[in-house]
Amino acid sequence: MFPIPTLTLNAYSIAQLISTLVNFYEMLILVYILFSWFPIREGSIFYDIGLVLQSLCEPYLGIFRRIIPPMGGIDFSPVIAVIALNLVAQLVIGIIV
């Protein structure tokens, strides 16, 4: 018989997982913002990717858009959202480790 592998999660691996997930979500936000700069034809693969990114990023970004309105036509809420995400992640990692 083969031994059944067990999943052991220590504080370091949980902190690494949180860091990886935060970095991945930051990249999703960045790609979503870049997609918003270009016109995308409906029905294309980029349109579908944009819809998925919108469904993943907009609920989180919407919180900051309600607090920080666009100034001079520039939306600074994604910058604040990424900073807040990093601060919360660092706080959680600091508590865990």
Side-chain angles (χ1 to χ4, degrees):
M1 287 285 152
F2 296 106
I4 298 173
T6 58
L7 179 65
T8 57
L9 292 176
N10 57 16
Y12 178 73
S13 60
I14 293 172
Q16 254 187 331
L17 176 66
I18 291 170
S19 178
T20 302
L21 290 174
V22 166
N23 288 336
F24 179 71
Y25 196 67
E26 286 175 1
M27 294 310 266
L28 288 179
I29 291 173
L30 178 65
V31 171
Y32 176 63
I33 292 167
L34 291 175
F35 264 51
S36 71
W37 291 354
F38 301 102
I40 298 174
R41 251 183 339 129
E42 190 172 341
S44 69
I45 186 72
F46 294 113
Y47 182 77
D48 295 337
I49 293 170
L51 287 178
V52 170
L53 289 172
Q54 181 180 8
S55 68
L56 292 173
C57 299
E58 196 56 44
Y60 180 66
L61 292 176
I63 296 168
F64 295 95
R65 286 198 177 116
R66 285 191 298 267
I67 298 170
I68 305 162
M71 294 181 260
I74 299 174
D75 187 12
F76 290 105
S77 60
V79 175
I80 303 302
V82 168
I83 290 171
L85 185 64
N86 277 316
L87 288 175
V88 169
Q90 291 302 319
L91 177 69
V92 170
I93 289 171
I95 291 171
I96 291 173
V97 176

